[in-house]
Amino acid sequence: MQKYLWVNYLIAGSGCLNMIYSGYDGSLYSSFQVMDSWLSHFNHPSPYWIGMINTIPGIFGIVYSFFVAPVVNDWLGRKRSIFVAAVFNMISAVIMTISPNLACFIIGRVMVTISVQQGSNSGPLLVSELAHPKIRGKLISFWQMFWSFGALEAAGICLGTSYYPSLGNWQWRIPTLIQIVTPTMICVCVSFCPDSPRWLVAKNRIEEARKSLERVRPEDEVEPELREIEAAVLYEKEVTKGRYKQWFVNKSYLRRLGLVFGLYLGQQLGGMGILTQYSGIIYNSVFKSSTTDILLNFLNWALAVLYVLPATFYVDKIGRRPLLLIGAIGQALAMFLVATVVTQTPRLANGDYKYGIGVACVFFVFLYNLFYQFSWGCSTWVVATEIFPLNVRAQGLAISGNVESAVMTALGLAFPTFLANCGFYAFYFFMAVNVCNFIWVFLFLPETKNVSLEEMDHLFGGEDHGIAGQMLLDQKVTGNSEHVENVQRETKE
C-alpha cells in the first residue's frame, strides 16, 4: 500500500482514540450500577439518582458542545483541541476515583462529558478533513470501532475486579483510575499528526496546509486539492458571512442539518442509548447475579468490536444508505423479539424469569448490537462528519451532536422509571422507532460515498464551494466584483 494511505490510517487511529474514553465511560457506569461496592460507597442511590448521574453531566455536555466546543475547535485547531480534551479527561478520572460522595462523583462525570464532547467534535473533523475521499468512510468507521473497544475495556476491567470482593472500594476505583491510560496515549499520538489543511487554509497558513496534504496525499493530488480548498475557503469567507446565521438563510445547510438530526435522533431512540447506559439493569431484570450481569456486558462489547468490521470493509463499497437500511430492519426485529419473548412468557412462582427466557433475552440484545454497530453506530458518524461545509462544519457537528446528547440525557433520566413501570413492553417503543428510521433513510438520505468534501454542497442542492470559489479567485484577478454580488444574491435565495 502506498505510504500516504498508511499515514491516513495512522491519523485516523490517533483521532479516533477519543472514542475509547467515551465508550469506556458509558460502559463503566453501566457496570457500576450492579456493583455492590460502588452502590454501598454512595449509599445505594435510588433509581431517580441513578438517572440523574447521567442527566446532570448530559446537560452540561449539551451546553458545552453547542456554545464552547466549536469555538475551541476553530481557535486551537482540530489537533490541539483533541490534546486539551484528553488532558481534561485525565483530570476527571482522578476526581472520580477519589470521590468521597455522590456530588463529587457527578462533578467528575461532568468533566468527563465535557472532554468527550470536545473530543467528539474535534476527532471526526481531523479524520474527515485529512482522509482521502476513497477511504474516508472506512477511516471514520474506526470511530465506532474504538468506542466499542473502550466499552469492552471498561467491562473487562470491571469483570476482573468483580471477582475480588476483598478489594472493597478499589473494585470500582481501579477501573475508574485506568481511564487515564487512553488520554495519555492520545496526547502522545496526536502530537505526531498534521493538523487539518482546511483549518490551516482558513487561518491563512497556506504553506503549513501544503505540508499537511503532502503527508496524506499522492504527490500529484496535493496542489489540485490545495487550490480547491483555497477556493472553497475564499467562497465561504466572501459569500457565507456569519456562522450560525447560515443555518437560517441557506436551504442546503438546513436540509443537511435536518438529515443529521434525524440520524442522531433515530440512533439513540432506536435503543442503543439505553443499552449503553443501562445494560446492567436490563440484564439484572432476568439474571440476579451482579457478576453474571458484568460478564454479559463484557461479552456484548467484545462482540461489538467485531460487529463494526462489516462497515469498515464495505461502507466505501456499498455505501452509507444500504448499511443504514439493513441496520434499521435488523434492530426493529431484535427489539420486537426481546419484548415478545420476555413479556409473553409466564414467570416462575417467585416472580423471576425462567433461565431460558433470560438466555433468549440476552441473545436478542446481542443481535440488536450486531445490526447497530455496522449501521447506525458507524454510518451515522460517517455521514455527519462529511456533509457539512468547512465554514459551518464544527458548528454542524456540535448542533447535531447535541441532539444525540439531549436524547441520551432524557433517556438516561426516564428509562429506569420507564423499565420499572412498563417492564419489557418498553422495547416495543424502540422497535417502532427503528421502523421509522428505515422510512426516514429510504425517503430522504442521498448516498455520499466517494464524494469529496468540497463537492458535497452540490450533492445537497447548494453551490459547489470549490467551483464557486475558483470563479471568485478569477474575478479577483480581473478586478470584476459582479460575480461576487451575483453569488451572494443566489446564496440568499
Side-chain angles (χ1 to χ4, degrees):
M1 184 185 293
Q2 296 98 324
K3 179 181 177 181
Y4 80 92
L5 286 179
W6 280 117
V7 177
N8 272 251
Y9 283 110
L10 290 173
I11 291 169
S14 301
C16 292
L17 279 172
N18 292 277
M19 284 308 274
I20 289 185
Y21 62 67
S22 176
Y24 193 103
D25 176 65
S27 178
L28 188 70
Y29 181 57
S30 179
S31 295
F32 284 171
Q33 294 164 38
V34 293
M35 192 174 284
D36 291 336
S37 58
W38 184 86
L39 293 169
S40 297
H41 182 75
F42 294 112
N43 299 318
H44 295 276
S46 66
Y48 172 79
W49 277 105
I50 290 291
M52 289 300 290
I53 294 171
N54 270 327
T55 302
I56 294 173
I59 293 172
F60 277 90
I62 291 170
V63 174
Y64 180 88
S65 178
F66 188 84
F67 293 104
V68 183
V71 176
V72 173
N73 241 324
D74 288 341
W75 175 43
L76 295 178
R78 296 23 171 159
K79 176 179 172 178
R80 284 186 291 177
S81 296
I82 293 173
F83 188 94
V84 170
V87 172
F88 209 64
N89 190 269
M90 287 188 275
I91 296 171
S92 66
V94 174
I95 291 175
M96 286 193 296
T97 301
I98 63 175
S99 296
N101 52 50
L102 199 58
C104 187
F105 187 82
I106 291 174
I107 290 173
R109 290 215 74 215
V110 168
M111 294 179 64
V112 167
T113 303
I114 289 174
S115 68
V116 167
Q117 290 291 351
Q118 185 63 62
S120 297
N121 195 267
S122 308
L125 289 174
L126 180 69
V127 177
S128 66
E129 292 175 0
L130 282 166
H132 196 283
K134 292 182 179 179
I135 57 172
R136 186 175 61 236
K138 179 184 293 187
L139 297 185
I140 298 175
S141 74
F142 292 168
W143 197 249
Q144 183 63 29
M145 182 186 295
F146 281 27
W147 192 99
S148 300
F149 182 80
L152 169 65
E153 182 184 3
I157 296 170
C158 287
L159 175 64
T161 61
S162 71
Y163 286 110
Y164 297 94
S166 59
L167 289 172
N169 284 330
W170 284 103
Q171 272 191 309
W172 62 270
R173 282 179 170 159
I174 288 174
T176 304
L177 187 59
I178 287 177
Q179 280 186 93
I180 66 174
V181 173
T182 299
T184 301
M185 292 172 56
I186 291 173
C187 290
V188 174
C189 293
V190 80
S191 300
F192 295 96
C193 292
D195 214 328
S196 161
R198 289 164 175 83
W199 179 79
L200 291 169
V201 169
K203 298 299 180 182
N204 202 30
R205 294 157 61 177
I206 307 301
E207 190 56 37
E208 291 178 62
R210 179 178 285 107
K211 291 179 180 178
S212 178
L213 281 173
E214 286 173 350
R215 294 180 63 182
V216 295
R217 296 290 186 273
E219 184 177 349
D220 60 336
E221 293 183 16
V222 173
E223 290 303 322
E225 183 166 347
L226 182 61
R227 288 195 298 271
E228 188 177 26
I229 294 171
E230 288 184 88
V233 169
L234 174 64
Y235 170 86
E236 289 155 4
K237 286 183 177 179
E238 293 283 344
V239 177
T240 58
K241 301 293 184 181
R243 292 176 179 174
Y244 289 105
K245 177 183 176 182
Q246 289 303 312
W247 301 111
F248 302 100
V249 300
N250 191 307
K251 293 180 180 179
S252 174
Y253 291 7
L254 275 176
R255 179 189 174 194
R256 282 177 269 189
L257 189 64
L259 287 172
V260 177
F261 266 31
L263 290 175
Y264 276 125
L265 189 66
Q267 181 194 60
Q268 295 304 312
L269 286 180
M272 196 59 197
I274 56 97
L275 290 180
T276 299
Q277 300 176 69
Y278 297 116
S279 59
I281 291 178
I282 294 170
Y283 298 144
N284 195 247
S285 299
V286 290
F287 295 103
K288 299 304 179 182
S289 167
S290 60
T291 301
T292 300
D293 300 334
I294 296 174
L295 174 61
L296 290 172
N297 196 37
F298 170 77
L299 291 175
N300 194 24
W301 294 121
L303 293 171
V305 176
L306 301 177
Y307 294 160
V308 182
L309 294 179
T312 301
F313 289 109
Y314 295 110
V315 69
D316 285 318
K317 294 181 179 179
I318 68 175
R320 289 63 160 145
R321 266 174 56 91
L323 291 178
L324 288 167
L325 292 171
I326 293 169
I329 292 299
Q331 290 168 199
L333 177 62
M335 285 299 184
F336 171 79
L337 292 172
V338 169
T340 302
V341 166
V342 177
T343 60
Q344 303 304 313
T345 305
R347 299 193 186 194
L348 298 173
N350 62 0
D352 291 343
Y353 292 101
K354 294 179 181 179
Y355 183 80
I357 298 303
V359 172
C361 172
V362 170
F363 174 80
F364 293 131
V365 169
F366 281 28
L367 180 65
Y368 173 91
N369 202 18
L370 164 64
F371 282 102
Y372 172 84
Q373 293 296 333
F374 73 76
S375 59
W376 288 78
C378 174
S379 297
T380 297
W381 279 105
V382 175
V383 173
T385 55
E386 65 187 4
I387 69 173
F388 295 118
L390 174 65
N391 61 316
V392 293
R393 189 168 294 143
Q395 291 76 26
L397 277 177
I399 295 170
S400 54
N402 273 333
V403 175
E404 179 186 36
S405 299
V407 175
M408 286 187 68
T409 299
L411 284 175
L413 179 62
F415 184 74
T417 304
F418 190 20
L419 183 64
N421 292 336
C422 300
F424 277 75
Y425 285 100
F427 286 78
Y428 284 120
F429 168 79
F430 302 118
M431 177 205 72
V433 170
N434 282 295
V435 172
C436 294
N437 285 344
F438 178 90
I439 297 171
W440 170 262
V441 171
F442 184 81
L443 293 179
F444 300 111
L445 184 69
E447 182 55 65
T448 56
K449 70 172 182 177
N450 296 330
V451 180
S452 75
L453 296 181
E454 280 66 43
E455 295 171 345
M456 205 66 68
D457 300 283
H458 181 68
L459 177 66
F460 287 94
E463 185 162 13
D464 189 309
H465 288 194
I467 296 175
Q470 188 59 53
M471 295 177 70
L472 289 179
L473 284 173
D474 296 340
Q475 295 298 329
K476 281 182 174 291
V477 172
T478 61
N480 186 352
S481 62
E482 181 179 352
H483 179 71
V484 176
E485 296 172 356
N486 289 338
V487 173
Q488 288 175 329
R489 183 171 58 254
E490 291 171 5
T491 300
K492 291 179 180 178
E493 293 173 355

